[in-house]
Amino acid sequence: MQVTVKLFANFRNNRFNKEIRTIAPDITVGAIVTELAIKKEEVGVILINGRHGSLDQGLTEGDTLSLFPLIGGG
Amino acid sequence: MADKIYRVNMSDLTSTIEDVPESWAGLGGRGLTSTIVAEEVPPTCESLGKHNKLVFAPGLLTGTIAANSGRLSVGSKSPLTGGIKESNSGGTAAQFFARLGIKALIIEGKPEKDVLYCLHVKKDGVEISEVPDLKGKGNFDTVNAILAKHEGKTGVISIGPAGEMKMCVSNISVRDPDGKIRSAGRGGLGAVMGSKNVKCIAIDPAESSAVEINDPEAFKAAAKVFAKALVDHPVSGQGLPTYGTAVLVNIINEAGGLPTRNFSSGQFEGAEKISGETMLELMEERGGKNRHGCHPGCVIRCSQVYNDADKKYLTSGFEYESIWAMGADCCVDNLDQIAEADRLMDDIGIDTIETSVTFGVAMEGGLLPFGDGAGILKMIKDDIGMGTPLGRLLGSGAGSVGKAYGVTRVPVVKNQAIPAYDPRAVKGIGITYATSTMGADHTAGYAVTANVLNVGGSVDPLKKEGQVELSRNLQIATAAVDTAGLCIFVAFAALDIPEAFSAIVDMLNARFGLSLTADDVNTLGMSILKTERSFNLAAGMTNKDDRLPEFFSEEPLPPHNVVWDFTGEEIDAFWDF
């Protein structure tokens, strides 16, 4: 199945901003993070379709996964 | 030598140096400005009249080696909200005040004569002189005029033409270490300074000395722990220095909470173009610079130098809030236009949040089409800057413009424009907007941390559970941080790293020879909030002023299609402490 993966801040370095990826149906967010060679402890915020998610969560066809390091401002 | 209170009476153009009353001794920054305003300003007074006062105070840790401790609090009764106001800023002034032993500078009264004045603050007192030639001058020219007369390090606090015209959107500018300016932005404090005919304050750092530290070794040890925590935390150590505060554009947009098109959607199509990531790329291409501090001793350095396409300096201190307000809220996706507006607004001396939210409302009313960045730039310059009748209207803020154009979607609380997080999709910050004594102010209790950013725990932004408590805890802690003179961005580390919070308490104790506990600091925060609220109630506000505008409850916000669903009773529970 296909999902959209969006990366932000320094996660973009040497990777991509946005990519449509084909993944196995039972794959978790954590597995995608590993596939992208991002250290799990560096993942600050996971959004799935704009809602907060977790590393052990699965995805469904057409989901948008957004990955951020810990960031802030204001 | 003990710190003193410097008091300037603009009615008879005299000044005095006074001992610090015992009840003010343990206070600084916001705690002190709010206490002085509450004690000395009649709550029902005309904010632009002779009974209002303008108070400047460095924080309790300002002037020391503590990282990020150089904030200047400015307090008064706000002409925008009609309530108490504290707005704080970076720049060099606070550290100069602290090192001159000036615990607070109070400006009171109102001159008979229609001429502008400069206050020259020195160790031995304040000289008041007429500066008629600065009439109508922008902040940058004003800073240069002062530097032409005084030595290069002189601290400068000034207002632009908007403050002289007593506009509710006007701010107070503070010179930064590079000669650019930072602002005490919110609540129309520039108008209060203008009402007293004070165009500028020049602070002479000569005869300043190191602030007294009761236990220097203990202070040094705690300051080291504190600075290390700031550098170690990913938000203050990496994200902010690299991308600036605009790093938030994309995440708030992805979370569906970026107020767009005058608060009618939570996502902006052009978000990527105005994001921190894009800003960094442009700065790298154009020879700009990230990692720029707003005051000496800042280890976070979230500011930057942003150049135009010809690699010429355009602006610095280019903040998320400013970018969001003219960007998403007015649908302008051109970062260069926003940067140009940022510089113009700094020069004219107007709050970027209040001004751009005002334009969003005016666009809804049909004054300009959404997305018309060039139109906004022209009106800022030719109307607000020149004080045309339209400029005066725009300069009175989002609430007034909403009324003038018959707009019902007017995002204000206590008449102050709501900043860059939609309260329907980030409910914790909605509680802060509703209950803050300052009017809608994200910095008063930044619940975006736990709601969106996973800092200091996590509380689902789309649900009501836990939001009142979250906002209350943050508002109490923030009042204390503002009293210490610390930058609010130290909170990211202080919320996540226990040693960072203890280090703040340890530094306060070592500086003053106290034995405060974390509970004492909490109690201090609570008492400041209560002092401020009592002032607002005495000024005529009620719990009904702690409410968000009706449209937030009526209009579902895309993409999550959520509404603001707190009852009045639930909001009022905020004050149960």
Side-chain angles (χ1 to χ4, degrees):
Chain A
M1 66 178 193
Q2 288 199 322
V3 296
T4 303
V5 179
K6 293 182 178 180
L7 301 179
F8 297 93
N10 61 331
F11 285 176
R12 290 181 172 183
N13 298 346
N14 303 317
R15 294 194 188 89
F16 55 88
N17 293 5
K18 182 179 171 180
E19 206 171 84
I20 294 173
R21 291 173 80 92
T22 305
I23 58 164
D26 55 349
I27 202 169
T28 61
V29 171
I32 297 176
V33 167
T34 306
E35 217 175 273
L36 292 170
I38 294 172
K39 288 185 192 147
K40 282 184 183 165
E41 61 272 21
E42 285 181 8
V43 177
V45 176
I46 298 163
L47 295 177
I48 301 170
N49 303 325
R51 290 173 188 257
H52 287 75
S54 60
L55 287 168
D56 52 17
Q57 214 166 318
L59 296 171
T60 52
E61 173 74 31
D63 277 353
T64 297
L65 169 68
S66 307
L67 297 172
F68 304 83
L70 218 49
I71 53 174
Chain B
M1 216 179 80
D3 288 349
K4 301 284 180 185
I5 302 291
Y6 285 45
R7 191 184 291 272
V8 176
N9 184 331
M10 292 306 295
S11 294
D12 59 12
L13 304 175
T14 59
S15 69
T16 53
I17 298 178
E18 302 166 5
D19 289 336
V20 177
E22 211 182 303
S23 60
W24 295 358
L27 297 168
R30 173 178 170 187
L32 184 57
T33 62
S34 286
T35 298
I36 294 175
V37 171
E39 280 182 28
E40 298 194 356
V41 175
T44 54
C45 77
E46 164 55 54
S47 54
L48 302 180
K50 65 178 178 184
H51 297 298
N52 198 8
K53 302 189 182 192
L54 186 65
V55 186
F56 297 86
L60 289 171
L61 295 175
T62 306
T64 70
I65 57 162
N68 292 70
S69 63
R71 302 291 293 185
L72 178 72
S73 283
V74 189
S76 194
K77 173 173 171 165
S78 162
L80 183 72
T81 67
I84 201 163
K85 174 57 63 180
E86 184 266 358
S87 186
N88 62 64
S89 170
T92 57
Q95 288 166 331
F96 290 157
F97 278 139
R99 290 174 192 149
L100 287 167
I102 300 175
K103 194 163 177 73
L105 169 69
I106 304 174
I107 304 174
E108 57 194 31
K110 192 171 172 147
E112 294 279 317
K113 203 170 156 188
D114 183 22
V115 65
L116 291 170
Y117 295 92
C118 176
L119 309 183
H120 190 202
V121 178
K122 298 187 290 186
K123 180 80 182 170
D124 61 1
V126 181
E127 278 169 22
I128 306 169
S129 56
E130 295 186 5
V131 285
D133 49 324
L134 293 184
K135 192 174 168 61
K137 290 271 190 268
N139 280 309
F140 295 116
D141 281 351
T142 302
V143 169
N144 290 336
I146 289 174
L147 294 185
K149 279 191 198 160
H150 303 285
E151 71 98 23
K153 274 183 89 174
T154 299
V156 182
I157 298 171
S158 64
I159 56 169
E164 290 178 43
M165 291 186 274
K166 302 180 246 321
M167 290 180 179
C168 281
V169 301
S170 64
N171 62 17
I172 292 177
S173 295
V174 185
R175 186 186 179 216
D176 80 7
D178 290 342
K180 308 300 182 204
I181 57 176
R182 311 292 301 188
S183 318
R186 309 229 59 198
L189 293 179
V192 178
M193 192 155 145
S195 74
K196 302 195 181 303
N197 293 12
V198 177
K199 176 70 178 174
C200 50
I201 301 168
I203 306 151
D204 182 353
E207 290 182 65
S208 61
S209 49
V211 297
E212 280 174 34
I213 307 282
N214 184 276
D215 183 344
E217 285 312 307
F219 193 94
K220 217 191 261 176
K224 202 172 159 191
V225 171
F226 184 61
K228 184 175 182 309
L230 296 183
V231 174
D232 285 348
H233 195 277
V235 171
S236 43
Q238 291 163 30
L240 280 170
T242 307
Y243 299 98
T245 57
V247 72
L248 286 177
V249 172
N250 276 328
I251 191 167
I252 303 301
N253 187 57
E254 290 298 316
L258 189 74
T260 299
R261 194 174 270 268
N262 188 32
F263 285 76
S264 60
S265 170
Q267 282 183 329
F268 178 46
E269 266 186 17
E272 184 63 43
K273 289 191 189 169
I274 60 168
S275 66
E277 288 90 337
T278 299
M279 190 201 286
L280 179 64
E281 269 175 34
L282 290 172
M283 287 194 298
E284 283 170 349
E285 265 172 48
R286 298 168 173 186
K289 177 180 169 284
N290 59 0
R291 296 171 200 270
H292 176 265
C294 77
H295 66 273
C298 168
V299 299
I300 301 177
R301 297 165 300 156
C302 69
S303 178
Q304 65 296 94
V305 171
Y306 183 85
N307 291 343
D308 65 16
D310 297 326
K311 302 190 176 179
K312 286 201 188 96
Y313 174 83
L314 201 47
T315 196
S316 60
F318 193 23
E319 305 286 352
Y320 165 65
E321 297 291 331
S322 314
I323 293 169
W324 154 77
M326 180 167 159
D329 198 45
C330 296
C331 299
V332 174
D333 64 4
N334 181 328
L335 199 56
D336 288 343
Q337 279 180 335
I338 303 173
E340 204 180 328
D342 187 62
R343 183 176 63 177
L344 256 180
M345 289 193 263
D346 278 353
D347 198 29
I348 293 168
I350 52 181
D351 177 21
T352 55
I353 300 176
E354 190 69 40
T355 304
S356 295
V357 172
T358 299
F359 274 106
V361 171
M363 285 172 157
E364 173 111 28
L367 177 67
L368 284 169
F370 279 103
D372 186 3
I376 292 177
L377 278 167
K378 191 169 184 315
M379 280 187 192
I380 291 174
K381 198 165 167 233
D382 297 342
D383 289 303
I384 302 179
M386 294 296 153
T388 65
L390 175 62
R392 297 272 182 171
L393 173 61
L394 291 165
S396 49
S400 298
V401 166
K403 282 199 172 70
Y405 279 86
V407 173
T408 55
R409 194 186 294 123
V410 184
V412 296
V413 181
K414 299 182 177 76
N415 201 41
Q416 179 167 291
I418 293 181
Y421 318 85
D422 197 292
R424 288 164 287 194
V426 192
K427 290 189 194 288
I429 200 76
I431 293 293
T432 296
Y433 295 156
T435 54
S436 169
T437 52
M438 300 293 147
D441 179 349
H442 61 293
T443 68
Y446 192 64
V448 181
T449 45
N451 273 183
V452 181
L453 306 172
N454 282 350
V455 171
S458 54
V459 175
D460 189 333
L462 301 172
K463 297 203 175 110
K464 294 203 285 186
E465 288 71 35
Q467 307 293 7
V468 171
E469 196 190 357
L470 173 67
S471 173
R472 185 194 294 128
N473 291 340
L474 288 170
Q475 289 198 49
I476 290 168
T478 302
V481 166
D482 290 342
T483 296
L486 294 169
C487 162
I488 190 66
F489 292 162
V490 307
F492 295 112
L495 286 165
D496 280 343
I497 306 174
E499 298 80 39
F501 182 75
S502 340
I504 297 175
V505 182
D506 294 345
M507 287 191 291
L508 288 169
N509 287 335
R511 160 106 158 85
F512 296 102
L514 303 169
S515 45
L516 300 173
T517 63
D519 278 351
D520 295 325
V521 174
N522 217 36
T523 306
L524 171 70
M526 288 188 204
S527 84
I528 295 163
L529 293 184
K530 287 188 171 170
T531 298
E532 292 170 347
R533 182 154 198 255
S534 300
F535 182 95
N536 285 352
L537 295 177
M541 289 188 191
T542 70
N543 61 334
K544 304 295 187 291
D545 292 289
D546 288 356
R547 301 290 182 263
L548 299 189
E550 186 183 75
F551 79 90
F552 287 114
S553 311
E554 301 287 334
E555 300 176 11
L557 182 78
H560 298 306
N561 296 317
V562 276
V563 293
W564 176 251
D565 48 1
F566 282 89
T567 64
E569 209 174 14
E570 286 166 341
I571 297 171
D572 291 343
F574 172 87
W575 288 105
D576 294 344
F577 61 88

